[in-house]
PDB file of all heavy atoms in Angstrom:
ATOM      1  N   ASP B  48      -7.650  63.549 -34.147  1.00 98.00           N
ATOM      2  CA  ASP B  48      -6.712  62.766 -34.939  1.00 98.00           C
ATOM      3  C   ASP B  48      -5.285  62.939 -34.441  1.00 98.00           C
ATOM      4  O   ASP B  48      -4.979  63.822 -33.642  1.00 98.00           O
ATOM      5  CB  ASP B  48      -6.814  63.153 -36.422  1.00 98.00           C
ATOM      6  CG  ASP B  48      -6.730  64.647 -36.586  1.00 98.00           C
ATOM      7  OD1 ASP B  48      -5.615  65.169 -36.734  1.00 98.00           O
ATOM      8  OD2 ASP B  48      -7.805  65.298 -36.515  1.00 98.00           O
ATOM      9  N   TYR B  52      -2.997  65.951 -32.315  1.00 98.00           N
ATOM     10  CA  TYR B  52      -2.397  65.616 -31.022  1.00 98.00           C
ATOM     11  C   TYR B  52      -0.900  65.890 -31.050  1.00 98.00           C
ATOM     12  O   TYR B  52      -0.349  66.492 -30.124  1.00 98.00           O
ATOM     13  CB  TYR B  52      -2.680  64.148 -30.692  1.00 98.00           C
ATOM     14  CG  TYR B  52      -2.271  63.738 -29.293  1.00 98.00           C
ATOM     15  CD1 TYR B  52      -2.893  64.299 -28.171  1.00 98.00           C
ATOM     16  CD2 TYR B  52      -1.265  62.811 -29.081  1.00 98.00           C
ATOM     17  CE1 TYR B  52      -2.526  63.921 -26.889  1.00 98.00           C
ATOM     18  CE2 TYR B  52      -0.881  62.434 -27.796  1.00 98.00           C
ATOM     19  CZ  TYR B  52      -1.524  62.998 -26.699  1.00 98.00           C
ATOM     20  OH  TYR B  52      -1.160  62.626 -25.429  1.00 98.00           O
ATOM     21  N   LYS B  77       4.249  56.220  -7.913  1.00 98.00           N
ATOM     22  CA  LYS B  77       4.108  56.039  -6.466  1.00 98.00           C
ATOM     23  C   LYS B  77       4.268  57.378  -5.763  1.00 98.00           C
ATOM     24  O   LYS B  77       3.485  57.737  -4.879  1.00 98.00           O
ATOM     25  CB  LYS B  77       5.160  55.061  -5.954  1.00 98.00           C
ATOM     26  CG  LYS B  77       4.728  53.617  -6.044  1.00 98.00           C
ATOM     27  CD  LYS B  77       5.671  52.753  -5.193  1.00 98.00           C
ATOM     28  CE  LYS B  77       5.722  51.362  -5.764  1.00 98.00           C
ATOM     29  NZ  LYS B  77       6.886  50.602  -5.371  1.00 98.00           N
ATOM     30  N   SER B  79       3.789  60.242  -6.877  1.00 98.00           N
ATOM     31  CA  SER B  79       2.752  61.215  -7.223  1.00 98.00           C
ATOM     32  C   SER B  79       1.570  61.150  -6.266  1.00 98.00           C
ATOM     33  O   SER B  79       0.812  62.104  -6.127  1.00 98.00           O
ATOM     34  CB  SER B  79       2.245  60.955  -8.640  1.00 98.00           C
ATOM     35  OG  SER B  79       1.409  59.803  -8.644  1.00 98.00           O
ATOM     36  N   LYS B  94      -1.186  49.934  -6.338  1.00 98.00           N
ATOM     37  CA  LYS B  94      -1.814  48.891  -7.153  1.00 98.00           C
ATOM     38  C   LYS B  94      -0.783  48.247  -8.071  1.00 98.00           C
ATOM     39  O   LYS B  94      -0.695  47.031  -8.170  1.00 98.00           O
ATOM     40  CB  LYS B  94      -2.949  49.507  -7.974  1.00 98.00           C
ATOM     41  CG  LYS B  94      -3.641  48.515  -8.885  1.00 98.00           C
ATOM     42  CD  LYS B  94      -4.740  49.135  -9.725  1.00 98.00           C
ATOM     43  CE  LYS B  94      -5.994  49.413  -8.946  1.00 98.00           C
ATOM     44  NZ  LYS B  94      -7.133  49.784  -9.791  1.00 98.00           N
ATOM     45  N   LEU B  98       1.420  43.936  -8.271  1.00 97.00           N
ATOM     46  CA  LEU B  98       1.446  43.014  -9.409  1.00 97.00           C
ATOM     47  C   LEU B  98       2.392  41.853  -9.153  1.00 97.00           C
ATOM     48  O   LEU B  98       3.513  42.065  -8.700  1.00 97.00           O
ATOM     49  CB  LEU B  98       1.969  43.736 -10.654  1.00 97.00           C
ATOM     50  CG  LEU B  98       1.011  44.354 -11.642  1.00 97.00           C
ATOM     51  CD1 LEU B  98       1.815  44.858 -12.823  1.00 97.00           C
ATOM     52  CD2 LEU B  98      -0.046  43.366 -12.090  1.00 97.00           C
ATOM     53  N   PRO B 105       2.222  36.434 -18.699  1.00 98.00           N
ATOM     54  CA  PRO B 105       2.126  37.797 -19.220  1.00 98.00           C
ATOM     55  C   PRO B 105       1.337  38.695 -18.266  1.00 98.00           C
ATOM     56  O   PRO B 105       0.484  38.214 -17.517  1.00 98.00           O
ATOM     57  CB  PRO B 105       1.389  37.635 -20.544  1.00 98.00           C
ATOM     58  CG  PRO B 105       0.787  36.281 -20.518  1.00 98.00           C
ATOM     59  CD  PRO B 105       1.578  35.454 -19.565  1.00 98.00           C
ATOM     60  N   ILE B 125     -12.968  62.368 -22.894  1.00 98.00           N
ATOM     61  CA  ILE B 125     -11.560  62.056 -23.191  1.00 98.00           C
ATOM     62  C   ILE B 125     -11.506  61.167 -24.428  1.00 98.00           C
ATOM     63  O   ILE B 125     -10.752  61.424 -25.370  1.00 98.00           O
ATOM     64  CB  ILE B 125     -10.894  61.350 -21.983  1.00 98.00           C
ATOM     65  CG1 ILE B 125     -10.881  62.274 -20.760  1.00 98.00           C
ATOM     66  CG2 ILE B 125      -9.467  60.904 -22.350  1.00 98.00           C
ATOM     67  CD1 ILE B 125     -10.433  61.610 -19.467  1.00 98.00           C
ATOM     68  N   MET B 126     -12.327  60.144 -24.430  1.00 98.00           N
ATOM     69  CA  MET B 126     -12.235  59.165 -25.517  1.00 98.00           C
ATOM     70  C   MET B 126     -12.742  59.720 -26.842  1.00 98.00           C
ATOM     71  O   MET B 126     -12.210  59.399 -27.897  1.00 98.00           O
ATOM     72  CB  MET B 126     -12.984  57.894 -25.130  1.00 98.00           C
ATOM     73  CG  MET B 126     -12.259  57.142 -24.015  1.00 98.00           C
ATOM     74  SD  MET B 126     -12.987  55.561 -23.645  1.00 98.00           S
ATOM     75  CE  MET B 126     -14.488  56.052 -22.816  1.00 98.00           C
ATOM     76  N   ILE B 139       2.541  54.375 -21.817  1.00 98.00           N
ATOM     77  CA  ILE B 139       3.524  54.629 -20.749  1.00 98.00           C
ATOM     78  C   ILE B 139       3.319  53.616 -19.627  1.00 98.00           C
ATOM     79  O   ILE B 139       4.258  53.008 -19.114  1.00 98.00           O
ATOM     80  CB  ILE B 139       3.400  56.081 -20.237  1.00 98.00           C
ATOM     81  CG1 ILE B 139       3.815  57.059 -21.349  1.00 98.00           C
ATOM     82  CG2 ILE B 139       4.248  56.284 -18.986  1.00 98.00           C
ATOM     83  CD1 ILE B 139       3.497  58.512 -21.058  1.00 98.00           C
ATOM     84  N   TYR B 152     -11.710  48.363 -22.321  1.00 98.00           N
ATOM     85  CA  TYR B 152     -13.081  47.870 -22.211  1.00 98.00           C
ATOM     86  C   TYR B 152     -14.010  49.076 -22.173  1.00 98.00           C
ATOM     87  O   TYR B 152     -14.127  49.781 -21.174  1.00 98.00           O
ATOM     88  CB  TYR B 152     -13.261  47.025 -20.952  1.00 98.00           C
ATOM     89  CG  TYR B 152     -14.599  46.325 -20.922  1.00 98.00           C
ATOM     90  CD1 TYR B 152     -14.699  44.968 -21.222  1.00 98.00           C
ATOM     91  CD2 TYR B 152     -15.782  47.014 -20.617  1.00 98.00           C
ATOM     92  CE1 TYR B 152     -15.922  44.315 -21.226  1.00 98.00           C
ATOM     93  CE2 TYR B 152     -17.007  46.378 -20.624  1.00 98.00           C
ATOM     94  CZ  TYR B 152     -17.074  45.038 -20.919  1.00 98.00           C
ATOM     95  OH  TYR B 152     -18.295  44.390 -20.917  1.00 98.00           O
ATOM     96  N   ARG B 162     -15.205  53.424 -32.128  1.00 98.00           N
ATOM     97  CA  ARG B 162     -14.647  53.633 -33.474  1.00 98.00           C
ATOM     98  C   ARG B 162     -13.516  54.658 -33.447  1.00 98.00           C
ATOM     99  O   ARG B 162     -12.481  54.488 -34.082  1.00 98.00           O
ATOM    100  CB  ARG B 162     -15.752  54.112 -34.423  1.00 98.00           C
ATOM    101  CG  ARG B 162     -16.425  52.951 -35.123  1.00 98.00           C
ATOM    102  CD  ARG B 162     -17.630  53.417 -35.927  1.00 98.00           C
ATOM    103  NE  ARG B 162     -18.766  52.596 -35.527  1.00 98.00           N
ATOM    104  CZ  ARG B 162     -19.996  53.055 -35.300  1.00 98.00           C
ATOM    105  NH1 ARG B 162     -20.273  54.334 -35.438  1.00 98.00           N
ATOM    106  NH2 ARG B 162     -20.937  52.225 -34.947  1.00 98.00           N
ATOM    107  N   ALA B 167      -7.836  55.850 -33.721  1.00 98.00           N
ATOM    108  CA  ALA B 167      -6.672  56.478 -33.092  1.00 98.00           C
ATOM    109  C   ALA B 167      -5.557  55.462 -32.865  1.00 98.00           C
ATOM    110  O   ALA B 167      -4.379  55.757 -33.086  1.00 98.00           O
ATOM    111  CB  ALA B 167      -7.084  57.134 -31.772  1.00 98.00           C
ATOM    112  N   GLY B 185      12.431  48.171 -29.415  1.00 94.00           N
ATOM    113  CA  GLY B 185      12.490  46.727 -29.239  1.00 94.00           C
ATOM    114  C   GLY B 185      11.359  46.218 -28.370  1.00 94.00           C
ATOM    115  O   GLY B 185      11.082  45.036 -28.311  1.00 94.00           O
ATOM    116  N   ALA B 196     -21.807  45.678 -23.508  1.00 98.00           N
ATOM    117  CA  ALA B 196     -23.114  45.605 -24.144  1.00 98.00           C
ATOM    118  C   ALA B 196     -24.237  45.985 -23.183  1.00 98.00           C
ATOM    119  O   ALA B 196     -25.306  45.400 -23.177  1.00 98.00           O
ATOM    120  CB  ALA B 196     -23.346  44.214 -24.727  1.00 98.00           C
ATOM    121  N   HIS B 277     -30.191  69.284 -10.685  1.00 98.00           N
ATOM    122  CA  HIS B 277     -30.834  70.581 -10.548  1.00 98.00           C
ATOM    123  C   HIS B 277     -29.863  71.712 -10.249  1.00 98.00           C
ATOM    124  O   HIS B 277     -29.858  72.275  -9.152  1.00 98.00           O
ATOM    125  CB  HIS B 277     -31.905  70.515  -9.456  1.00 98.00           C
ATOM    126  CG  HIS B 277     -33.070  69.657  -9.858  1.00 98.00           C
ATOM    127  ND1 HIS B 277     -33.827  68.956  -8.949  1.00 98.00           N
ATOM    128  CD2 HIS B 277     -33.608  69.384 -11.069  1.00 98.00           C
ATOM    129  CE1 HIS B 277     -34.772  68.295  -9.576  1.00 98.00           C
ATOM    130  NE2 HIS B 277     -34.666  68.534 -10.870  1.00 98.00           N
ATOM    131  N   GLY B 307     -35.896  80.104  -8.296  1.00 96.00           N
ATOM    132  CA  GLY B 307     -36.987  79.875  -7.353  1.00 96.00           C
ATOM    133  C   GLY B 307     -36.861  78.594  -6.549  1.00 96.00           C
ATOM    134  O   GLY B 307     -37.774  78.236  -5.814  1.00 96.00           O
ATOM    135  N   VAL B 335      -4.552  68.375   9.513  1.00 88.00           N
ATOM    136  CA  VAL B 335      -4.115  69.404   8.576  1.00 88.00           C
ATOM    137  C   VAL B 335      -2.622  69.551   8.790  1.00 88.00           C
ATOM    138  O   VAL B 335      -2.184  69.923   9.879  1.00 88.00           O
ATOM    139  CB  VAL B 335      -4.825  70.749   8.841  1.00 88.00           C
ATOM    140  CG1 VAL B 335      -4.257  71.839   7.931  1.00 88.00           C
ATOM    141  CG2 VAL B 335      -6.323  70.603   8.638  1.00 88.00           C
ATOM    142  N   TYR B 342     -13.205  70.295  12.833  1.00 97.00           N
ATOM    143  CA  TYR B 342     -13.963  70.848  11.713  1.00 97.00           C
ATOM    144  C   TYR B 342     -15.432  70.798  12.042  1.00 97.00           C
ATOM    145  O   TYR B 342     -15.894  69.948  12.806  1.00 97.00           O
ATOM    146  CB  TYR B 342     -13.635  70.145  10.394  1.00 97.00           C
ATOM    147  CG  TYR B 342     -14.080  68.693  10.321  1.00 97.00           C
ATOM    148  CD1 TYR B 342     -15.365  68.356   9.884  1.00 97.00           C
ATOM    149  CD2 TYR B 342     -13.213  67.662  10.672  1.00 97.00           C
ATOM    150  CE1 TYR B 342     -15.768  67.036   9.802  1.00 97.00           C
ATOM    151  CE2 TYR B 342     -13.613  66.340  10.608  1.00 97.00           C
ATOM    152  CZ  TYR B 342     -14.893  66.030  10.171  1.00 97.00           C
ATOM    153  OH  TYR B 342     -15.288  64.728  10.107  1.00 97.00           O
ATOM    154  N   THR B 397     -26.561  36.032  -3.255  1.00 98.00           N
ATOM    155  CA  THR B 397     -27.903  36.121  -2.699  1.00 98.00           C
ATOM    156  C   THR B 397     -28.291  37.507  -2.169  1.00 98.00           C
ATOM    157  O   THR B 397     -29.342  38.030  -2.553  1.00 98.00           O
ATOM    158  CB  THR B 397     -28.074  35.080  -1.572  1.00 98.00           C
ATOM    159  OG1 THR B 397     -27.632  33.821  -2.061  1.00 98.00           O
ATOM    160  CG2 THR B 397     -29.505  35.004  -1.101  1.00 98.00           C
ATOM    161  N   LYS B 407     -36.269  47.581  -4.586  1.00 98.00           N
ATOM    162  CA  LYS B 407     -36.972  48.219  -5.698  1.00 98.00           C
ATOM    163  C   LYS B 407     -38.475  47.991  -5.561  1.00 98.00           C
ATOM    164  O   LYS B 407     -39.276  48.913  -5.745  1.00 98.00           O
ATOM    165  CB  LYS B 407     -36.494  47.651  -7.032  1.00 98.00           C
ATOM    166  CG  LYS B 407     -37.323  48.179  -8.189  1.00 98.00           C
ATOM    167  CD  LYS B 407     -37.180  47.397  -9.460  1.00 98.00           C
ATOM    168  CE  LYS B 407     -38.341  47.783 -10.387  1.00 98.00           C
ATOM    169  NZ  LYS B 407     -38.179  47.302 -11.743  1.00 98.00           N
ATOM    170  N   VAL B 429     -33.385  45.920   4.992  1.00 98.00           N
ATOM    171  CA  VAL B 429     -32.970  45.100   3.843  1.00 98.00           C
ATOM    172  C   VAL B 429     -31.567  45.527   3.404  1.00 98.00           C
ATOM    173  O   VAL B 429     -30.683  44.692   3.193  1.00 98.00           O
ATOM    174  CB  VAL B 429     -33.974  45.223   2.670  1.00 98.00           C
ATOM    175  CG1 VAL B 429     -33.444  44.507   1.426  1.00 98.00           C
ATOM    176  CG2 VAL B 429     -35.331  44.657   3.077  1.00 98.00           C
ATOM    177  N   GLN B 432     -28.782  44.255   5.375  1.00 98.00           N
ATOM    178  CA  GLN B 432     -28.471  42.833   5.170  1.00 98.00           C
ATOM    179  C   GLN B 432     -27.654  42.588   3.891  1.00 98.00           C
ATOM    180  O   GLN B 432     -27.341  41.449   3.587  1.00 98.00           O
ATOM    181  CB  GLN B 432     -29.767  42.014   5.098  1.00 98.00           C
ATOM    182  CG  GLN B 432     -30.483  41.931   6.423  1.00 98.00           C
ATOM    183  CD  GLN B 432     -31.698  41.028   6.395  1.00 98.00           C
ATOM    184  OE1 GLN B 432     -32.208  40.678   7.432  1.00 98.00           O
ATOM    185  NE2 GLN B 432     -32.198  40.636   5.219  1.00 98.00           N
ATOM    186  N   LYS B 455     -31.405  59.974   6.490  1.00 98.00           N
ATOM    187  CA  LYS B 455     -31.441  61.437   6.467  1.00 98.00           C
ATOM    188  C   LYS B 455     -32.810  62.011   6.148  1.00 98.00           C
ATOM    189  O   LYS B 455     -33.093  63.163   6.465  1.00 98.00           O
ATOM    190  CB  LYS B 455     -30.401  61.961   5.464  1.00 98.00           C
ATOM    191  CG  LYS B 455     -28.986  61.560   5.895  1.00 98.00           C
ATOM    192  CD  LYS B 455     -27.909  62.149   5.048  1.00 98.00           C
ATOM    193  CE  LYS B 455     -26.549  61.650   5.553  1.00 98.00           C
ATOM    194  NZ  LYS B 455     -25.428  62.292   4.871  1.00 98.00           N
ATOM    195  N   LYS B 467     -48.407  61.947  -0.456  1.00 86.00           N
ATOM    196  CA  LYS B 467     -48.936  61.627  -1.790  1.00 86.00           C
ATOM    197  C   LYS B 467     -50.359  62.138  -1.943  1.00 86.00           C
ATOM    198  O   LYS B 467     -50.756  62.590  -3.015  1.00 86.00           O
ATOM    199  CB  LYS B 467     -48.933  60.099  -1.989  1.00 86.00           C
ATOM    200  CG  LYS B 467     -47.767  59.620  -2.800  1.00 86.00           C
ATOM    201  CD  LYS B 467     -48.030  58.315  -3.528  1.00 86.00           C
ATOM    202  CE  LYS B 467     -48.567  57.208  -2.635  1.00 86.00           C
ATOM    203  NZ  LYS B 467     -48.429  55.887  -3.287  1.00 86.00           N
TER     204      LYS B 467
END
Side-chain angles (χ1 to χ4, degrees):
Chain B
D48 50 90
Y52 188 64
K77 273 194 208 159
S79 75
K94 178 182 284 190
L98 265 186
I125 297 172
M126 290 186 288
I139 293 169
Y152 189 103
R162 269 173 232 137
H277 292 150
V335 175
Y342 67 88
T397 310
K407 173 196 164 169
V429 173
Q432 291 185 166
K455 297 186 181 186
K467 260 206 309 197

